[in-house]
Amino acid sequence: MKNIRNFCIIAHIDHGKSTLADRMIEKTNTLSDRELQNQVLDDMDLEREKGITIKSHAIQMEYQRNGQKYTLNLIDTPGHVDFSYEVSRAIASCEGALLVVDATQGIQAQTISNLYLALENDLEIIPVLNKIDVESAMVDEVRDQIIDLIGCKSEEILLASGKTGEGVMEVLDAIVDRIPAPKGDEEAPLQALIFDSVFNSFRGIIAYFRIMNGTLRKGDKVKFVNLGNEYTADEIGVLKLKLSPRQEIKAGDVGYIISGIKNSVDVKVGDTITHVARPCDKGIEGFENVKPMLFAGVYPVDTSEYEDLRASLEKLQLNDASLTFEPESSLALGFGFRCGFLGLLHLDIVQERLYREFDMDVITTVPNVSYRVTSTKGDVCEVHNPSGLPEPTLIQKIEEPYIRAQIITKSDYLGSVIKLCIDRRGTLVNQTFLTQDRVEVNFDMPLSEIVFDFYDKLKSISRGYASFDYHATGYKDSKLAKLDILLNGEPVDALSSLIYYDHAYDFGRRMCEKLKELIPRQQFDVAIQAAIGSKIIARETVKAVRKDVTAKCYGGDISRKRKLLEKQKKGKKRMRQIGNVEVPQQAFLAVLKMD
């Protein structure tokens, strides 16, 4: 066990951790030249295109030094805030972490939040300054930032370049020298932490784990502590780029288990594996069910593809257990599903994967968060969908989820960043200057305010310099109203939304104006109204397309013209009673892009 090192890489998005991992795999000759490619650990096309890690990956490397052979287990973590629970479980499986900071950009928000996660788990931190080969690298400045942040000595910071491979051998040596070997008792009852799982269409669910205590052998009867299910370990092994079977895996090592599990709900990240015959006293701490943060309706463009969409979502859920869905129907869009996502990026990725992997074209409705409603009888229920809200007279209070947002920006943009947050109902918690021109601000704000376009706005007012990170802090009372959109007096449920009361009038007016542009003219007037309960707060009218029925009257008595106009009026009235208004698809998308 003394020659095993388990470590992860933590960094902000795009600070080069996948590239650095590529160089380490190359230097330890883990893969042949033919197998090597850029971002070798990112196996989804989507990850390569967007340059982000979506699913975390693990790989085992063999490193020779002074005649000693060391086993290095790299547990790669996703960098994006939506996947912070997966990051926390991966960090709990390690003894050390490489803190990678981009020399051209300096420390960013997720660098700090992931670093705090690592420090909470008592990991040994090795600071690495990446991209030193780039001309715009500010090596000395960023080195001072790292010293301020973690209080290390200047000589402890390693300089490296993932692109050229410079300094990578020093990083490998530091992993061996500085990261402690895993502690654990091979003879104790089995206790292993699941930090990730993937779905294989032939073998079922493959769970990745790190053994804290005990030994796991092929054919053992095992059970999952938190869910209580029992399985047989059909195959166990270690993670090279491909799965590499072994007869036994001991404490301190990282591996995988295949036991013919077909349902993703049966394997939860953070669960503990133990033996049926000799179980451990308690599971490893920190397990929680991943809770979706926002909800959106997903509907097939062609209503006949409803069952195909269900099958696609089920397959996607096998690969991504944090996706939840349940059937729902809408008057405007037909049958579809109400899906729960971890965040906006997660929603974007699921939509993209549905299109690419299953060829499903879907309409996504306005994303909204889940609210907690207390009725006048004292019952508490969670509402994910505006149509699920009880009557206003039955509601005692509505609570909405709040987050603590952490924004790091250049001090030039501080004023506009604070203004943006206050406009979104944020309250300033504190602000600290990290260096003379970089400042960190913390805000408490409602999650619903960042769901739409907060991140895009933040990037544009800071010219791309601000970085953003958040974590949920709980629920607070709020003054919310259900805003309905009516077309000719009929509510369109797919366009209704729960909104902060003071913003409702402004939002309703803008919605009506937007829909007026998008709804095609009919043979009759179409009234577009925004309403809260029975009170109409805004109205626009799409004028009717009219035929000039008096054109054939040349002169003559006025009563002839009036007769024709009256006849037309009757026809229009009858048409309005039987005519229905089609809402074009752009209207649903336009609501998402309302500025």
Side-chain angles (χ1 to χ4, degrees):
M1 206 195 291
K2 68 178 195 300
N3 285 2
I4 297 177
R5 300 287 182 272
N6 296 323
F7 69 99
C8 59
I9 305 179
I10 50 181
H12 193 71
I13 302 172
D14 212 22
H15 278 204
K17 62 177 197 285
S18 293
T19 317
L20 188 65
D22 288 352
R23 292 294 84 74
M24 287 158 71
I25 290 166
E26 191 180 315
K27 297 280 193 232
T28 52
N29 299 321
T30 304
L31 303 179
S32 64
D33 291 345
R34 195 180 66 180
E35 290 175 304
L36 267 176
Q37 54 172 338
N38 285 342
Q39 290 170 269
V40 72
L41 294 179
D42 292 347
D43 55 4
M44 246 186 262
D45 290 343
L46 204 57
E47 293 181 306
R48 288 168 197 255
E49 281 170 35
K50 287 186 183 273
I52 54 173
T53 302
I54 296 167
K55 285 295 285 179
S56 51
H57 297 267
I59 193 163
Q60 191 177 79
M61 301 178 266
E62 306 286 346
Y63 181 48
Q64 299 273 0
R65 198 179 83 160
N66 306 338
Q68 285 270 14
K69 190 166 126 189
Y70 292 93
T71 302
L72 310 182
N73 287 314
L74 162 61
I75 297 172
D76 189 23
T77 59
H80 200 277
V81 49
D82 287 1
F83 307 110
S84 57
Y85 175 65
E86 278 186 28
V87 178
S88 75
R89 296 297 80 205
I91 284 175
S93 313
C94 304
E95 277 79 33
L98 297 182
L99 178 72
V100 177
V101 181
D102 185 338
T104 60
Q105 293 183 23
I107 285 169
Q108 306 270 306
Q110 278 159 13
T111 318
I112 294 181
S113 65
N114 287 349
L115 172 70
Y116 288 158
L117 267 180
L119 290 173
E120 278 169 25
N121 285 286
D122 294 334
L123 265 58
E124 179 62 41
I125 306 288
I126 301 175
V128 178
L129 202 51
N130 194 18
K131 304 194 188 179
I132 55 167
D133 58 311
V134 182
E135 283 178 18
S136 58
M138 312 172 287
V139 176
D140 295 335
E141 280 179 45
V142 180
R143 185 189 272 144
D144 292 343
Q145 286 178 23
I146 295 175
I147 293 168
D148 286 348
L149 180 67
I150 58 176
C152 60
K153 297 188 178 69
S154 175
E155 58 273 12
E156 288 176 6
I157 299 172
L158 305 173
L159 303 181
S161 163
K163 195 171 178 186
T164 62
E166 181 186 343
V168 175
M169 294 311 280
E170 287 79 3
V171 173
L172 289 167
D173 287 339
I175 290 168
V176 171
D177 295 337
R178 295 196 214 168
I179 292 178
K183 297 179 182 64
D185 181 0
E186 291 177 9
E187 303 306 318
L190 176 69
Q191 197 183 29
L193 171 70
I194 299 177
F195 63 84
D196 196 15
S197 65
V198 293
F199 178 71
N200 180 310
S201 45
F202 301 108
R203 321 275 320 255
I205 300 276
I206 303 170
Y208 297 168
F209 60 82
R210 147 80 201 270
I211 298 190
M212 300 298 179
N213 291 305
T215 305
L216 178 63
R217 293 179 181 84
K218 185 177 175 181
D220 282 355
K221 282 269 193 208
V222 295
K223 77 167 180 180
F224 294 176
V225 173
N226 288 297
L227 295 172
N229 302 335
E230 298 186 2
Y231 300 102
T232 306
D234 298 337
E235 183 185 308
I236 58 169
V238 296
L239 299 149
K240 303 289 191 185
L241 188 64
K242 305 263 190 313
L243 305 177
S244 174
R246 297 278 187 276
Q247 286 304 310
E248 67 170 22
I249 302 176
K250 295 184 174 170
D253 217 339
V254 172
Y256 70 88
I257 177 169
I258 300 176
S259 44
I261 305 170
K262 290 286 182 284
N263 199 341
S264 70
V265 187
D266 297 345
V267 179
K268 293 258 168 82
V269 171
D271 207 343
T272 308
I273 305 175
T274 188
H275 280 130
V276 174
R278 192 175 153 221
C280 56
D281 306 337
K282 61 180 197 323
I284 295 159
E285 290 172 1
F287 173 77
E288 56 183 71
N289 281 317
V290 183
K291 283 200 176 69
M293 297 286 273
L294 48 107
F295 297 84
V298 174
Y299 293 86
V301 172
D302 181 357
T303 44
S304 62
E305 292 178 348
Y306 174 71
E307 284 303 326
D308 297 348
L309 179 60
R310 182 198 292 273
S312 307
L313 283 168
E314 279 169 359
K315 285 179 187 160
L316 203 54
Q317 197 179 34
L318 290 171
N319 206 314
D320 179 359
S322 49
L323 172 71
T324 59
F325 65 90
E326 55 185 36
E328 72 164 5
S329 65
S330 144
L331 291 172
L333 297 169
F335 290 103
F337 296 93
R338 165 105 342 209
C339 300
F341 304 96
L342 297 177
L344 274 179
L345 176 83
H346 191 206
L347 182 149
D348 195 29
I349 283 161
V350 167
Q351 211 173 338
E352 188 72 26
R353 283 180 69 182
L354 278 172
Y355 178 66
R356 288 186 182 204
E357 294 172 27
F358 306 103
D359 204 19
M360 290 298 306
D361 259 341
V362 293
I363 303 172
T364 313
T365 62
V366 186
N368 58 345
V369 299
S370 69
Y371 298 95
R372 204 189 277 161
V373 178
T374 309
S375 72
T376 44
K377 292 178 182 168
D379 303 334
V380 178
C381 64
E382 285 211 343
V383 174
H384 307 318
N385 193 343
S387 60
L389 200 69
E391 289 296 314
T393 50
L394 302 175
I395 296 173
Q396 185 184 338
K397 63 173 182 178
I398 304 181
E399 295 169 299
E400 62 176 330
Y402 265 67
I403 54 155
R404 171 68 54 88
Q406 177 191 36
I407 299 168
I408 295 178
T409 178
K410 286 200 161 181
S411 43
D412 310 357
Y413 309 119
L414 179 62
S416 45
V417 167
I418 288 179
K419 181 180 181 304
L420 173 72
C421 293
I422 288 173
D423 288 348
R424 297 297 175 96
R425 304 182 353 218
T427 32
L428 181 64
V429 180
N430 62 13
Q431 69 180 59
T432 40
F433 277 84
L434 302 171
T435 59
Q436 284 138 347
D437 67 336
R438 289 171 68 77
V439 61
E440 176 192 337
V441 285
N442 286 308
F443 271 90
D444 275 342
M445 55 202 300
L447 178 65
S448 56
E449 293 287 345
I450 66 160
V451 164
F452 273 138
D453 52 357
F454 178 80
Y455 192 58
D456 299 343
K457 286 269 196 306
L458 181 69
K459 282 289 184 200
S460 57
I461 60 176
S462 66
R463 307 216 178 123
Y465 277 110
S467 63
F468 170 65
D469 191 51
Y470 67 88
H471 60 265
T473 54
Y475 284 79
K476 286 187 187 172
D477 280 8
S478 186
K479 196 175 155 196
L480 293 166
K482 182 185 173 196
L483 182 74
D484 285 315
I485 298 294
L486 312 173
L487 290 182
N488 277 348
E490 290 291 318
V492 182
D493 56 352
L495 291 174
S496 62
S497 53
L498 278 173
I499 192 160
Y500 184 57
Y501 194 86
D502 296 352
H503 293 175
Y505 170 73
D506 186 45
F507 185 75
R509 202 188 70 246
R510 293 209 317 267
M511 283 263 280
C512 290
E513 285 167 5
K514 193 83 182 167
L515 288 170
K516 185 183 176 184
E517 295 166 22
L518 293 165
I519 289 179
R521 289 172 70 184
Q522 311 285 337
Q523 300 271 344
F524 49 91
D525 282 3
V526 179
I528 304 166
Q529 294 165 312
I532 295 174
S534 56
K535 182 183 172 191
I536 305 291
I537 57 171
R539 170 178 171 136
E540 293 285 335
T541 309
V542 180
K543 282 305 206 186
V545 184
R546 295 191 48 171
K547 183 179 170 192
D548 187 358
V549 287
T550 57
K552 61 184 179 183
C553 293
Y554 48 93
D557 192 57
I558 185 72
S559 58
R560 286 182 62 197
K561 286 186 180 173
R562 194 165 293 140
K563 181 179 150 198
L564 290 168
L565 288 169
E566 287 296 328
K567 192 173 162 193
Q568 182 185 35
K569 198 166 159 189
K570 271 190 197 146
K572 294 273 184 223
K573 191 174 170 186
R574 195 166 63 245
M575 197 180 277
R576 180 182 300 141
Q577 284 164 0
I578 58 167
N580 62 343
V581 185
E582 288 290 318
V583 183
Q585 203 170 327
Q586 291 99 344
F588 299 108
L589 304 176
V591 178
L592 295 174
K593 297 186 174 64
M594 290 240 307
D595 42 326

